[in-house]
Structures are given as C-alpha cells and as structure tokens.
Amino acid sequence: MLQIRVLGQPAVLRHCTRVQLPQSKKTRALLAYLAITARPHSRDRLCSMFWAVPDDPRAALRWSLSHLRPIVDEHDRRRIIAHRENVGLDLGGVEVDILHLRNLVLNGTDSISTDALRQAAVALEGDFLEGLDLPDCREFQNWCIGQREETRRLRARLLTELVARLENAPEEALRYARTLSLLEPADEAAEATVVRLLRAAGRWREAEEEFQRAQQRLDDLNVVRTGALRQAAQLPLQANAPTIAHNGNAISPHAEPLHAPPALHEVKFCRTSDGVRIAYASVGEGPPLVWAAHWLSHLSFSWESPIWRHWTEEFAKDHSFVHYDERGNGLSDWDSAEFSVDAFVRDLEAVVDALGLDRFALIGSSKGGSTAMAYAARHPERVSHLVVYGAYAQGWRLQGSDAEIERREATITLMRRSWAQDNPAIHQMLTSLFVPDATLEEMGWFNDLQRLASSAENAARLMRAVGDFNVLDLLPAITAPTLVLHCRNDSSVRFEQGQLIASRIPGSKFVPLDSRNHILLPRDPAWTHFVSEVRQFLGEGERTTSGSQRMRAAAGPAV
C-alpha cells in the first residue's frame, strides 16, 4: 500500500513505513503536483513551472523523475508514466490524503461517521505542503496558495459538522470549535459556538472572557454583526455540567454549591427611546424593587460574583428584584454615542416600561444613585420609595479638588492604554478604591468584572461622563420617601456627598454606615446594617401596595 501525504510536511509511506524523499524541494513539489492533479501534464508545462531558469529544463525534469521512480515505482508496476511529450503518475492503489478527504465529502457530510470526522480533523491539522514553498516558481506558488485555501475551506466544513455532532458533549466539541474559530476569525457564528459550548460545559467564567476577546477580534476586523455572539453569551448555563470554580478546579454537578444562586436568571432585552439595546432581568417574587445600574455591571458575571451576588440573593427573597446592564456595559449594547445622566435615565425608563411597572421602589448605588435620583425627580408618580447608597449628586470634576481631578484624568488615560491587557495594575488600582477590605479572591473577581464588563474606551468614557454629573438641582423635586445611606470612610465617594444629598431631598432620612468599602461586602457589618435599614424602610409601603398595581407584564417585547 502506497500513501502520499501532502497535509503537513510531504511524505511517502510504503506499507506504513516512511520512504526518504529527495532533498530537492522542486522534486518533492513535482511529486505533489502530479499526485494531486491526478492527470498527465506536458513536459513543457512542467519545465516552465519548475525550471524556467536553468539552460536545460528538460534535463532537470528527467533528473527529478529519475529520483522519484525508486520512491513510487513497484517491482511489477511503474507509476511514473513518462512519454516523449507528457508525464503523469499512476495512482491506482495509491492513497493521497487530501484526495481521500475531498472524496469523503462528495456526497455531503451527513453520511460521514463521527469517528471518520474526528480522523479527518486530525489529518487536516497539518498545513498543505507545509514548508514546501517555491517563491521563484510563481505558477506553482499560485497553485499552492489555491490548494491551501481549498483545504482550509474543507477543514472548516468538516469541523463545523463535527462540532454540531458533538453538541451534547461540549468539552470534546470545544477543542474543534476553538480550531474552527481560529480558522475563520471573521466568522461571528464560529466565535459564538465557542462561547455557547463553554457555557454548556458550565465554564461560565471562560465563556465571558472568550466573549470579550471575540468582540474585540470582530471589531478589529470590522465584521458586520448578526447578534449571534451576544445571543450565545446570554444562554443559560448547563445545569448538570461541572462548574469551574474561581480557582480553576472543577466542582461536581452533584456536589453542594458553596453559594446556591437564585433560581434561573433569564435575561431579556428592550430598547431605549434612542435605540440602545438594554439587557435586564427580574429575579424572585413580590413587590417590584428596581436596582438602577451602577458603573461597570455584567448581569451573568455579577450573579456569580462574591462582590455583587449577595444583593440579588438578599432582595430576591421577597421582591421581584430587577436589575440591568446600562449602555456600554455587560450584555447591553456597547456602541452608544451618549453617556450622560439623561442617557442613563433612558436606560432605566426602557426597563421599567418593558416590565410594565406602574409604581415601584427604586435603589440607586454609587453612579446608579444619580440615575435613580434623576428618575425619581422626573417621574414622581412611579417611585414609591427611593433608596440611595454611596451616591453623589455632583461628579468628581464639579466637586473634586485640583489634585483629585488630576488623579482622575490620569486614571482615564491609563484605562485607555491598559484596560484590556493582561497586566492587572489598572484593575487592581480601581479595586483597591472600591473594595479596599476585600480578600485576594474577592479582588480577583472584581478585577475580572472590570475587564469583562466594558471595553477600554467605554470604561474611560464612562468615568469621564460621571465627572460631569450634576443632579443637585433636581433633588428638591423628589417627593418619594427617601433613605440615604453612606459609609463614613468611603474610599471612593466622599461622605459629605451623602450628607449633601440628604439635605436637599425633602423629608429624607440619612443613615451613616461604618465601613471604608464603597461596595459593601457580605461579611461587612455595614452590609447587615444596610439591609436592616432598607428592609425597615421599604416594609411599611409594601404592605399597603396592591399586587395588581405592581407589574403588568413579566417580559418585554422581543428585540
């Protein structure tokens, strides 16, 4: 049995034993050309293709053929067929790897067994005629380029079929899906398949990282999006797939989770009045409680993160707890021309309108506090209670010192340059500002959230935008009962901002908390104090609220 391999480095095998090939690259190229074209060629054509320079190209052709005969001829069969004018290769009983694979798909891929697809995927790992380039032989080189492209398309076709066959075995399918995405870097569907399989395998953290990398690659290649990638990132995790813990170790699907998450979070979408697509979710049952989006959010990542998970777990116990990703963040549209208080209010308006909320309690933390206060001032009839935590009425450019403004501007410059890089310095700097008392594990989660939640440009634009926030003049128009809470030693937003807000909202209650974390962690005593105050504040009004007035619909229109 004679085998000619052109996938990877060219090789000839006789009875599975490799035969030594001539050192001449042109002689090896000639063998490959005769084998793959599978027909005779004129001597003049072959001479012009490979030996245009020598004085006697026909002699060079004869020399190459004489060195090929011992390799392919058999004692009872001459395979080099050389006539006066033509030269060919008898392929009877010879297997040429690429021709075998091309014949395999002649009747479509449905008839190919999965094992045969696996074997084909392995065979196609080698490049066509790897290392055999003849830049001085332009005709051969052009032919070779065409063959490589045809082989690439064949490989992509077989990998696509194999991945589809292995959909229920995501861990195995991932290997082939990753190869396909590298083979087709401008194919959004291929990128989406990798993200979908990672989520199906329970490897949600890797899925989020892959989603961000794929978004960047498609942006760099100016690919027109179909939405397939974002849809894949929103699919639910596989319930009985092994989960990958933050430390990288697999957790058995039958093992008791360290923190049981709330029931399935279904992400829905709506559009703002200016056409921005917003991702939102409602978790739990009870009176509606809407959480205005804060700076840098990501719905699916935050559900698992020890930095934010306890908010959902706590308030979804007895509320329909609504949260969303604002424009430029997480699963919502990243391409938005405007980042401003007005724009973020439009995001909130779109979510509560999509859910059909007539009247609801509203929580705003950090940057979300400005959004919540502006909304409450403009829509007093819809806000039953307003809770403001760690918020500011004026952005850092309006109320900061010269040194503070200079520091923020420098941070924005660093964000634009370093946000998406593996160097975690910029992320760690912000993490230390928001959660200075976090453990190393918690800091790792928050570092990852920053990178996954937004692009470098959006993160910088968001920080610059909040510097210009000013809702101070809107505060006297707020009529809803209001609870303002602020940590005395907040490392990110000055305590005085909380006091200022409370002094401007008529009848509001101000509660100082003892912590220096801007984001309250679940073990922080200030978190327990915060929950107690909020629950007490919301309790009276909720007991008198009619359930029929809370929510007209559970889902927004398909977008």
Side-chain angles (χ1 to χ4, degrees), residues 165-206:
R165 296 271 187 93
L166 297 173
E167 191 78 23
N168 292 327
E171 288 290 355
E172 182 183 1
L174 267 169
R175 170 192 169 190
Y176 304 109
R178 289 188 189 278
T179 301
L180 182 60
S181 71
L182 293 174
L183 201 63
E184 303 280 11
D187 187 345
E188 184 182 3
E191 301 283 7
T193 297
V194 176
V195 173
R196 187 179 70 252
L197 289 171
L198 284 167
R199 293 186 67 81
R203 294 158 63 175
W204 62 268
R205 194 158 176 261
E206 289 179 65

Side-chain angles (χ1 to χ4, degrees), residues 417-453:
R417 294 177 179 174
S418 307
W419 189 262
Q421 298 176 1
D422 290 335
N423 188 334
I426 178 63
H427 302 296
Q428 186 59 47
M429 180 181 70
L430 294 174
T431 297
S432 299
L433 189 65
F434 288 119
V435 279
D437 293 333
T439 64
L440 289 177
E441 181 186 11
E442 289 165 340
M443 286 185 175
W445 280 90
F446 196 65
N447 287 347
D448 289 345
L449 170 62
Q450 295 169 58
R451 183 166 46 84
L452 296 174

Side-chain angles (χ1 to χ4, degrees), residues 9-261:
Q9 293 188 349
V12 174
L13 286 79
R14 190 185 300 277
H15 305 301
C16 299
T17 301
R18 188 180 292 265
V19 179
Q20 185 173 355
L21 293 178
Q23 290 296 315
S24 167
K25 293 181 71 173
K26 290 184 177 181
T27 301
R28 284 179 278 155
L30 173 64
L31 174 61
Y33 183 73
L34 292 173
I36 295 166
T37 56
R39 62 182 177 83
H41 296 274
S42 72
R43 288 178 180 263
D44 288 343
R45 169 90 191 283
L46 295 175
C47 288
S48 66
M49 179 177 284
F50 293 104
W51 295 284
V53 176
D55 294 333
D56 191 353
R58 283 192 170 236
L61 174 60
R62 288 194 299 271
W63 184 91
S64 288
L65 293 175
S66 69
H67 283 75
L68 290 177
R69 286 192 175 95
I71 295 171
V72 299
D73 283 354
E74 300 176 63
H75 68 279
D76 58 347
R77 190 167 189 169
R78 298 183 64 182
R79 296 197 177 277
I80 297 291
I81 310 300
H83 299 298
R84 183 178 182 84
E85 298 298 330
N86 298 318
V87 175
L89 181 65
D90 178 5
L91 293 177
V94 178
E95 181 183 287
V96 181
D97 54 1
I98 188 60
L99 298 184
H100 170 73
L101 293 175
R102 290 173 182 172
N103 289 332
L104 196 65
V105 300
L106 285 179
N107 296 320
T109 55
D110 291 345
S111 60
I112 307 174
S113 71
T114 302
D115 282 342
L117 287 171
R118 289 189 181 99
Q119 293 169 13
V122 173
L124 286 161
E125 288 177 358
D127 291 337
F128 180 85
L129 291 182
E130 183 179 324
L132 191 56
D133 289 300
L134 301 175
D136 294 334
C137 302
R138 181 173 299 179
E139 186 178 353
F140 172 79
Q141 196 66 18
N142 289 340
W143 172 82
C144 200
I145 291 170
Q147 291 293 315
R148 285 170 179 161
E149 175 57 24
E150 184 179 349
T151 302
R152 186 196 65 78
R153 290 196 298 267
L154 173 64
R155 189 183 186 193
R157 182 181 177 188
L158 292 171
L159 285 171
T160 299
E161 177 66 22
L162 183 55
V163 169
R165 296 271 187 93
L166 297 173
E167 191 78 23
N168 292 327
E171 288 290 355
E172 182 183 1
L174 267 169
R175 170 192 169 190
Y176 304 109
R178 289 188 189 278
T179 301
L180 182 60
S181 71
L182 293 174
L183 201 63
E184 303 280 11
D187 187 345
E188 184 182 3
E191 301 283 7
T193 297
V194 176
V195 173
R196 187 179 70 252
L197 289 171
L198 284 167
R199 293 186 67 81
R203 294 158 63 175
W204 62 268
R205 194 158 176 261
E206 289 179 65
E208 298 300 339
E209 293 173 351
E210 183 62 32
F211 171 71
Q212 299 299 335
R213 286 194 294 266
Q215 288 236 102
Q216 187 62 55
R217 283 195 294 268
L218 295 174
D219 285 343
D220 292 343
L221 294 170
N222 295 318
V223 175
V224 177
R225 308 291 182 83
T226 65
L229 179 61
R230 189 167 291 275
Q231 289 172 10
Q234 293 150 9
L235 292 173
L237 294 171
Q238 178 60 254
N240 51 359
T243 299
I244 305 301
H246 187 73
N247 60 9
N249 295 325
I251 300 175
S252 167
H254 305 293
E256 186 69 22
L258 294 177
H259 297 276

